[in-house]
């Protein structure tokens, strides 16, 4: 596959926009936010808290809050059946809310939990609990294609953090109630993103490790695995598909003894299997740091970076070739840019972190 030579002359000039906070609401119960969803006039925020009746530092209660667009809570759902309860991913589909929930016993060196899909109605009442089985760590995002709920998670041979594990793609059909599973042939890092392209499914781990397969794929009715042949352990940011090309965006954030930080794009031709890549240094981008929370916007990605000159944080909208088209200043008075959940659409920025949830108007 040929990469257009325009990649060698990438322009990093972008338009910078300001923000105006419209509304902010502090959490009463949530300590850590895992996911946010904005569906028409409804905003959903999922998180959890270690402040429980047991209060042993490991037990947690899960919360799902439904807000209106003024961030006034409509209802709050609390899940506290087990020692540990965490909602990791939520998705509104038609007149139901679907949540990926882990429940079980968590200790400093072990995690004995099971995962379920909770079906929740518009009043915040749990209507059904679909058992998926044992899991470990946290799952990927959840996507819905037609009547199929699709996500990835980790399956471990034991309950200790040193146990061998593999990754699994789950496809649950809401009509037939059947679960289809595809398990990796070897260890895969903690699943981060599931990407759909029609009936095709791709699952990406948090890291891209050298010397192993990096992507799980179910394409044209067949399961396979793809190795990007990386030379260093890189961190996945985002992925997209354009025509027959799978585009993987990642970073090398530097390690002791090797601080040559870079942004990297892999281009995988899904027909020929040919792989090409482009590396762009942080210095050339004008960055000193990149955070790993990303919001996908079509073939573009919003990421949070630290400006090398100003030392300030910024949201940047970047395409599949490394070109930045828009920049937003990050409000550091309401967060530090880590563990952020955000949505940037229709001239609005919704941001939720460990202290509050807020909406900004983005100037065009």
């Amino acid at each position: 596959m040929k990469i257009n030579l325009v990649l060698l002359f990438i322009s990093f000039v972008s338009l910078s926009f300001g923000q105006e906070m419209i509304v902010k609401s502090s959490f009463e119960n949530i300590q850590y936010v895992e996911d946010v969803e904005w569906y028409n006039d409804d905003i959903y925020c999922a998180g959890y808290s270690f402040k429980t009746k047991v209060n042993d530092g490991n037990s947690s209660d899960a919360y799902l809050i439904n807000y209106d667009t003024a961030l006034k809570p409509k209802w709050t759902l609390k899940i506290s059946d087990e020692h540990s309860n965490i909602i990791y991913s939520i998705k509104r589909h038609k007149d139901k809310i679907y949540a990926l929930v882990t429940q079980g016993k968590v200790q400093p060196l072990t995690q004995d939990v099971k995962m379920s899909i909770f079906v929740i109605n518009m009043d915040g009442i749990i209507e059904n609990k679909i058992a998926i089985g044992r899991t470990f760590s946290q799952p990927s995002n959840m996507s819905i294609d037609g009547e199929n709920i699709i996500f990835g998670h980790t399956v471990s041979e034991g309950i200790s953090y040193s146990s061998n594990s593999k990754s699994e793609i789950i496809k649950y059909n809401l009509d037939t109630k059947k679960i289809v599973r595809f398990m990796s042939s070897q260890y895969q890092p903690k699943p981060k993103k599931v990407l759909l392209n029609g009936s095709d499914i791709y699952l990406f781990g948090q890291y891209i490790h050298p010397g192993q397969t990096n992507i799980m794929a179910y394409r044209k009715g067949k399961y396979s695995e793809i190795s990007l042949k990386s030379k260093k352990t890189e961190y996945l940011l985002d992925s997209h598909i354009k025509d027959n090309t799978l585009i993987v965006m990642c970073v090398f954030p530097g390690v002791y003894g090797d601080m040559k930080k870079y942004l990297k794009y892999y281009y995988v031709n899904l027909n020929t299997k040919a792989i090409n890549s482009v590396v762009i240094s942080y210095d050339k981008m004008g960055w000193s740091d990149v955070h790993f929370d990303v919001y996908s916007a079509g073939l573009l990605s919003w990421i949070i970076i630290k400006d090398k000159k100003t030392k300030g944080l910024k949201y940047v909208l970047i395409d599949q070739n490394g070109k930045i088209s828009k920049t937003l200043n990050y409000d550091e008075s309401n967060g530090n840019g880590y563990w952020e959940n955000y949505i940037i659409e229709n001239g609005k920025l919704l941001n939720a972190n460990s202290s509050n949830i807020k909406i900004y108007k983005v100037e065009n």
Side-chain angles (χ1 to χ4, degrees), residues 312-362:
L313 298 179
K314 295 180 179 180
Y315 298 97
V316 296
L317 182 63
I318 190 167
D319 73 4
Q320 67 272 16
N321 296 322
K323 181 178 179 181
I324 296 172
S325 57
K326 187 178 291 187
T327 299
L328 301 175
N329 290 326
Y330 182 90
D331 183 5
E332 294 185 58
S333 66
N334 280 291
N336 59 13
Y338 291 101
W339 208 323
E340 301 290 329
N341 288 268
Y342 58 95
I343 296 170
I344 303 177
E345 285 185 355
N346 302 319
K348 300 286 177 63
L349 162 62
L350 171 69
N351 179 293
N353 55 35
S354 60
S355 58
N356 52 53
I357 182 170
K358 54 266 181 192
I359 298 175
Y360 297 86
K361 179 181 178 181
V362 178

Side-chain angles (χ1 to χ4, degrees), residues 298-309:
L299 287 173
L300 306 176
S301 304
W302 282 102
I303 62 175
I304 300 174
I305 61 95
K306 187 173 184 178
D307 188 273
K308 188 175 182 179
K309 290 184 178 179

Side-chain angles (χ1 to χ4, degrees), residues 13-263:
V13 177
S14 65
L15 298 176
S16 184
F17 296 90
Q19 304 170 32
E20 175 190 351
M21 185 183 290
I22 300 173
V23 64
K24 180 173 78 170
S25 179
S26 297
F27 296 122
E28 292 185 7
N29 299 305
I30 292 177
Q31 287 183 288
Y32 299 95
V33 175
E34 285 292 342
D35 200 10
V36 289
E37 172 89 340
W38 194 336
Y39 188 94
N40 296 331
D41 294 329
D42 285 294
I43 294 170
Y44 302 93
C45 182
Y48 62 97
S49 172
F50 289 116
K51 298 177 182 179
T52 68
K53 290 182 179 180
V54 178
N55 197 28
D56 64 355
N58 297 302
S59 64
S60 58
D61 293 338
Y63 293 90
L64 175 62
I65 306 174
N66 177 206
Y67 296 94
D68 62 17
T69 53
L71 294 184
K72 293 182 179 179
K74 295 182 177 182
W75 49 257
T76 297
L77 170 64
K78 178 181 179 180
I79 302 173
S80 56
D81 308 45
E82 302 286 345
H83 176 265
S84 172
N85 309 267
I86 299 179
I87 299 175
Y88 280 111
S89 182
I90 50 175
K91 186 68 67 175
R92 168 81 178 266
H93 180 60
K94 297 179 180 178
D95 61 347
K96 304 292 180 186
I97 304 147
Y98 298 92
L100 286 183
V101 184
T102 62
Q103 294 182 286
K105 185 82 170 180
V106 173
Q107 296 295 326
L109 299 177
T110 61
Q111 184 180 123
D112 187 8
V113 299
K114 295 180 180 179
M115 180 181 291
S116 300
I117 301 173
F118 279 47
V119 183
I120 303 161
N121 67 21
M122 295 296 95
D123 296 318
I125 298 172
I126 299 170
E127 293 187 341
N128 195 11
K129 184 176 173 180
I130 304 159
I132 300 300
R134 292 196 174 276
T135 190
F136 205 88
S137 192
Q138 66 188 76
S140 72
N141 64 304
M142 176 172 45
S143 291
I144 298 182
D145 174 39
E147 296 304 311
N148 291 306
I149 297 177
I150 301 167
F151 61 92
H153 76 126
T154 300
V155 180
S156 179
E157 293 180 359
I159 63 172
S160 74
Y161 287 90
S162 60
S163 300
N164 294 327
S165 63
K166 295 182 179 180
S167 291
E168 189 174 58
I169 295 173
I170 296 288
K171 182 167 72 170
Y172 175 77
N173 189 283
L174 294 167
D175 289 334
T176 65
K177 315 300 181 186
K178 291 183 178 180
I179 299 177
V180 178
R181 304 171 185 265
F182 304 100
M183 184 175 289
S184 62
S185 63
Q186 56 182 280
Y187 160 79
Q188 293 286 326
K190 178 174 64 179
K192 179 175 180 178
K193 179 177 180 179
V194 64
L195 174 65
L196 306 184
N197 184 41
S199 60
D200 297 344
I201 305 169
Y202 301 87
L203 181 63
F204 305 82
Q206 182 180 13
Y207 307 106
I208 297 169
H209 289 310
Q212 69 168 75
T213 57
N214 311 111
I215 305 168
M216 297 172 63
Y218 177 73
R219 185 168 184 260
K220 296 183 177 180
K222 294 182 179 180
Y223 175 78
S224 63
E225 296 174 1
I226 300 170
S227 174
L228 296 175
K229 305 185 187 306
S230 60
K231 296 181 179 179
K232 301 178 182 180
T233 294
E234 298 158 342
Y235 287 67
L236 176 80
L237 290 184
D238 209 356
S239 59
H240 307 283
I241 291 180
K242 183 178 181 181
D243 299 325
N244 289 315
T245 301
L246 174 62
I247 303 159
V248 182
M249 178 171 67
C250 62
V251 291
F252 176 70
V255 295
Y256 180 75
D258 185 358
M259 294 305 293
K260 294 180 180 179
K261 304 178 180 181
Y262 58 76
L263 171 71

